Short mmCIF file of all heavy atoms in Angstrom, two decimals:
data_model
loop_
_atom_site.label_atom_id
_atom_site.label_comp_id
_atom_site.label_asym_id
_atom_site.label_seq_id
_atom_site.Cartn_x
_atom_site.Cartn_y
_atom_site.Cartn_z
N ALA X 292 -13.76 -1.92 19.88
CA ALA X 292 -12.43 -2.26 20.40
C ALA X 292 -12.40 -3.68 20.98
O ALA X 292 -11.46 -4.44 20.75
CB ALA X 292 -12.03 -1.24 21.47
N GLU X 293 -13.46 -4.04 21.72
CA GLU X 293 -13.45 -5.38 22.33
C GLU X 293 -13.59 -6.49 21.28
O GLU X 293 -12.81 -7.46 21.30
CB GLU X 293 -14.55 -5.50 23.39
CG GLU X 293 -14.12 -4.78 24.65
CD GLU X 293 -15.16 -4.86 25.75
OE1 GLU X 293 -16.02 -5.77 25.69
OE2 GLU X 293 -15.09 -4.03 26.66
N PRO X 294 -14.55 -6.35 20.33
CA PRO X 294 -14.59 -7.36 19.26
C PRO X 294 -13.25 -7.44 18.51
O PRO X 294 -12.81 -8.53 18.14
CB PRO X 294 -15.72 -6.86 18.34
CG PRO X 294 -16.60 -6.03 19.22
CD PRO X 294 -15.70 -5.42 20.26
N ALA X 295 -12.61 -6.28 18.32
CA ALA X 295 -11.33 -6.29 17.60
C ALA X 295 -10.28 -7.08 18.37
O ALA X 295 -9.49 -7.84 17.79
CB ALA X 295 -10.85 -4.86 17.35
N ALA X 296 -10.27 -6.93 19.70
CA ALA X 296 -9.30 -7.67 20.52
C ALA X 296 -9.55 -9.17 20.41
O ALA X 296 -8.61 -9.97 20.36
CB ALA X 296 -9.39 -7.20 21.97
N ARG X 297 -10.85 -9.57 20.35
CA ARG X 297 -11.16 -11.00 20.22
C ARG X 297 -10.71 -11.55 18.86
O ARG X 297 -10.15 -12.63 18.75
CB ARG X 297 -12.68 -11.23 20.38
CG ARG X 297 -13.13 -11.21 21.85
CD ARG X 297 -14.52 -11.81 21.99
NE ARG X 297 -15.56 -11.00 21.36
CZ ARG X 297 -16.13 -9.93 21.93
NH1 ARG X 297 -15.79 -9.56 23.16
NH2 ARG X 297 -17.06 -9.25 21.29
N VAL X 298 -10.93 -10.74 17.82
CA VAL X 298 -10.52 -11.15 16.48
C VAL X 298 -8.98 -11.27 16.43
O VAL X 298 -8.43 -12.23 15.90
CB VAL X 298 -11.03 -10.14 15.42
CG1 VAL X 298 -10.39 -10.38 14.07
CG2 VAL X 298 -12.56 -10.21 15.31
N ARG X 299 -8.32 -10.31 17.03
CA ARG X 299 -6.85 -10.33 17.04
C ARG X 299 -6.34 -11.60 17.73
O ARG X 299 -5.43 -12.27 17.24
CB ARG X 299 -6.32 -9.09 17.77
CG ARG X 299 -4.84 -9.11 17.91
CD ARG X 299 -4.37 -7.91 18.71
NE ARG X 299 -3.21 -7.33 18.06
CZ ARG X 299 -2.70 -6.16 18.36
NH1 ARG X 299 -3.24 -5.41 19.27
NH2 ARG X 299 -1.63 -5.72 17.75
N GLN X 300 -6.97 -11.94 18.87
CA GLN X 300 -6.55 -13.13 19.61
C GLN X 300 -6.73 -14.39 18.74
O GLN X 300 -5.85 -15.25 18.69
CB GLN X 300 -7.39 -13.24 20.90
CG GLN X 300 -6.94 -14.37 21.82
CD GLN X 300 -5.51 -14.16 22.32
OE1 GLN X 300 -5.20 -13.11 22.88
NE2 GLN X 300 -4.64 -15.13 22.08
N ALA X 301 -7.87 -14.44 18.05
CA ALA X 301 -8.13 -15.62 17.20
C ALA X 301 -7.09 -15.71 16.09
O ALA X 301 -6.62 -16.80 15.74
CB ALA X 301 -9.54 -15.52 16.60
N LEU X 302 -6.70 -14.56 15.53
CA LEU X 302 -5.69 -14.56 14.46
C LEU X 302 -4.33 -14.98 15.01
O LEU X 302 -3.61 -15.77 14.37
CB LEU X 302 -5.62 -13.16 13.82
CG LEU X 302 -6.85 -12.82 12.96
CD1 LEU X 302 -6.93 -11.32 12.71
CD2 LEU X 302 -6.79 -13.57 11.63
N ASP X 303 -4.01 -14.49 16.20
CA ASP X 303 -2.75 -14.91 16.84
C ASP X 303 -2.77 -16.42 17.07
O ASP X 303 -1.79 -17.12 16.84
CB ASP X 303 -2.55 -14.19 18.18
CG ASP X 303 -2.19 -12.71 17.99
OD1 ASP X 303 -1.71 -12.35 16.90
OD2 ASP X 303 -2.40 -11.92 18.94
N ASP X 304 -3.94 -16.93 17.53
CA ASP X 304 -4.05 -18.36 17.87
C ASP X 304 -3.85 -19.27 16.65
O ASP X 304 -3.40 -20.40 16.80
CB ASP X 304 -5.41 -18.66 18.51
CG ASP X 304 -5.54 -18.06 19.90
OD1 ASP X 304 -4.50 -17.62 20.45
OD2 ASP X 304 -6.66 -18.02 20.43
N VAL X 305 -4.24 -18.79 15.46
CA VAL X 305 -4.04 -19.66 14.28
C VAL X 305 -2.72 -19.36 13.57
O VAL X 305 -2.51 -19.79 12.44
CB VAL X 305 -5.22 -19.61 13.27
CG1 VAL X 305 -6.45 -20.27 13.84
CG2 VAL X 305 -5.50 -18.20 12.79
N GLY X 306 -1.86 -18.61 14.23
CA GLY X 306 -0.49 -18.51 13.72
C GLY X 306 -0.13 -17.25 12.96
O GLY X 306 0.86 -17.25 12.22
N ALA X 307 -0.94 -16.17 13.11
CA ALA X 307 -0.54 -14.92 12.44
C ALA X 307 0.85 -14.52 12.96
O ALA X 307 1.12 -14.61 14.16
CB ALA X 307 -1.55 -13.82 12.74
N ARG X 308 1.69 -14.09 12.04
CA ARG X 308 3.05 -13.69 12.44
C ARG X 308 3.02 -12.41 13.27
O ARG X 308 3.73 -12.27 14.25
CB ARG X 308 3.88 -13.50 11.16
CG ARG X 308 5.32 -13.07 11.39
CD ARG X 308 6.18 -14.17 11.97
NE ARG X 308 6.17 -15.39 11.18
CZ ARG X 308 6.99 -15.62 10.14
NH1 ARG X 308 7.86 -14.72 9.76
NH2 ARG X 308 6.93 -16.76 9.49
N ARG X 309 2.17 -11.48 12.86
CA ARG X 309 2.04 -10.21 13.57
C ARG X 309 0.65 -9.66 13.33
O ARG X 309 0.07 -9.91 12.26
CB ARG X 309 3.05 -9.20 13.00
CG ARG X 309 4.02 -8.68 14.02
CD ARG X 309 5.04 -7.83 13.35
NE ARG X 309 4.99 -6.48 13.91
CZ ARG X 309 5.76 -5.49 13.50
NH1 ARG X 309 6.60 -5.67 12.52
NH2 ARG X 309 5.68 -4.31 14.06
N THR X 310 0.13 -8.94 14.29
CA THR X 310 -1.20 -8.34 14.09
C THR X 310 -1.16 -6.87 14.52
O THR X 310 -0.37 -6.49 15.40
CB THR X 310 -2.28 -9.07 14.93
OG1 THR X 310 -1.79 -9.23 16.26
CG2 THR X 310 -2.65 -10.41 14.36
N TRP X 311 -2.01 -6.08 13.89
CA TRP X 311 -2.14 -4.67 14.25
C TRP X 311 -3.64 -4.34 14.27
O TRP X 311 -4.42 -4.98 13.56
CB TRP X 311 -1.52 -3.76 13.20
CG TRP X 311 -0.07 -3.94 12.93
CD1 TRP X 311 0.97 -3.28 13.52
CD2 TRP X 311 0.53 -4.83 11.97
NE1 TRP X 311 2.16 -3.70 12.98
CE2 TRP X 311 1.93 -4.66 12.04
CE3 TRP X 311 0.03 -5.78 11.06
CZ2 TRP X 311 2.82 -5.37 11.24
CZ3 TRP X 311 0.91 -6.49 10.27
CH2 TRP X 311 2.28 -6.28 10.37
N ILE X 312 -4.00 -3.35 15.06
CA ILE X 312 -5.40 -2.90 15.05
C ILE X 312 -5.43 -1.43 14.65
O ILE X 312 -4.67 -0.62 15.19
CB ILE X 312 -6.06 -3.07 16.43
CG1 ILE X 312 -6.17 -4.57 16.76
CG2 ILE X 312 -7.46 -2.43 16.45
CD1 ILE X 312 -6.88 -4.89 18.06
N TYR X 313 -6.26 -1.16 13.67
CA TYR X 313 -6.39 0.21 13.16
C TYR X 313 -7.82 0.69 13.46
O TYR X 313 -8.78 0.05 13.06
CB TYR X 313 -6.12 0.20 11.65
CG TYR X 313 -6.60 1.41 10.89
CD1 TYR X 313 -5.84 2.58 10.87
CD2 TYR X 313 -7.80 1.38 10.19
CE1 TYR X 313 -6.26 3.69 10.16
CE2 TYR X 313 -8.24 2.49 9.49
CZ TYR X 313 -7.46 3.63 9.47
OH TYR X 313 -7.90 4.73 8.79
N ARG X 314 -7.92 1.78 14.21
CA ARG X 314 -9.24 2.31 14.54
C ARG X 314 -9.70 3.23 13.41
O ARG X 314 -8.98 4.16 13.03
CB ARG X 314 -9.18 3.10 15.86
CG ARG X 314 -10.56 3.52 16.35
CD ARG X 314 -10.49 3.98 17.80
NE ARG X 314 -9.81 5.25 17.95
CZ ARG X 314 -10.37 6.44 17.78
NH1 ARG X 314 -11.63 6.52 17.44
NH2 ARG X 314 -9.67 7.55 17.94
N MET X 315 -10.85 2.94 12.86
CA MET X 315 -11.37 3.75 11.75
C MET X 315 -11.93 5.05 12.33
O MET X 315 -12.85 5.01 13.14
CB MET X 315 -12.47 2.99 11.01
CG MET X 315 -11.99 1.70 10.38
SD MET X 315 -13.34 0.72 9.68
CE MET X 315 -13.63 1.56 8.13
N ARG X 316 -11.35 6.15 11.94
CA ARG X 316 -11.84 7.43 12.45
C ARG X 316 -12.93 7.94 11.52
O ARG X 316 -12.75 7.94 10.31
CB ARG X 316 -10.71 8.46 12.50
CG ARG X 316 -9.71 8.13 13.57
CD ARG X 316 -8.49 9.01 13.47
NE ARG X 316 -7.34 8.31 14.01
CZ ARG X 316 -7.13 8.11 15.30
NH1 ARG X 316 -7.96 8.60 16.20
NH2 ARG X 316 -6.08 7.44 15.71
N THR X 317 -14.02 8.39 12.12
CA THR X 317 -15.08 8.94 11.27
C THR X 317 -14.62 10.31 10.76
O THR X 317 -13.96 11.06 11.49
CB THR X 317 -16.40 9.08 12.04
OG1 THR X 317 -16.12 9.65 13.32
CG2 THR X 317 -17.06 7.73 12.26
N SER X 318 -14.96 10.60 9.50
CA SER X 318 -14.50 11.86 8.93
C SER X 318 -15.32 13.00 9.50
O SER X 318 -16.43 12.82 10.00
CB SER X 318 -14.55 11.81 7.41
OG SER X 318 -15.79 11.35 6.98
N GLN X 319 -14.76 14.23 9.40
CA GLN X 319 -15.36 15.40 10.05
C GLN X 319 -16.78 15.68 9.58
O GLN X 319 -17.60 16.18 10.32
CB GLN X 319 -14.49 16.63 9.80
CG GLN X 319 -13.32 16.66 10.75
CD GLN X 319 -12.27 17.66 10.35
OE1 GLN X 319 -12.46 18.40 9.38
NE2 GLN X 319 -11.18 17.70 11.08
N THR X 320 -17.02 15.31 8.32
CA THR X 320 -18.35 15.58 7.78
C THR X 320 -19.36 14.50 8.18
O THR X 320 -20.49 14.52 7.76
CB THR X 320 -18.30 15.62 6.25
OG1 THR X 320 -17.63 14.44 5.82
CG2 THR X 320 -17.56 16.84 5.74
N ALA X 321 -18.89 13.55 9.00
CA ALA X 321 -19.74 12.41 9.32
C ALA X 321 -21.05 12.83 9.99
O ALA X 321 -21.07 13.74 10.80
CB ALA X 321 -19.01 11.45 10.23
N ARG X 322 -22.12 12.09 9.63
CA ARG X 322 -23.41 12.36 10.28
C ARG X 322 -23.36 11.90 11.73
O ARG X 322 -23.94 12.51 12.60
CB ARG X 322 -24.52 11.59 9.56
CG ARG X 322 -24.77 12.07 8.17
CD ARG X 322 -25.65 11.07 7.42
NE ARG X 322 -25.41 11.21 6.00
CZ ARG X 322 -25.44 10.21 5.13
NH1 ARG X 322 -25.71 8.99 5.54
NH2 ARG X 322 -25.22 10.41 3.88
#
Side-chain angles (χ1 to χ4, degrees):
E293 284 180 20
R297 281 196 293 278
V298 169
R299 176 184 224 168
Q300 186 62 54
L302 288 163
D303 288 339
D304 290 348
V305 290
R308 179 71 56 86
R309 239 174 120 182
T310 48
W311 300 267
I312 294 183
Y313 163 81
R314 188 166 70 83
M315 298 173 79
R316 290 170 208 285
T317 45
S318 50
Q319 279 167 4
T320 51
R322 293 167 205 146

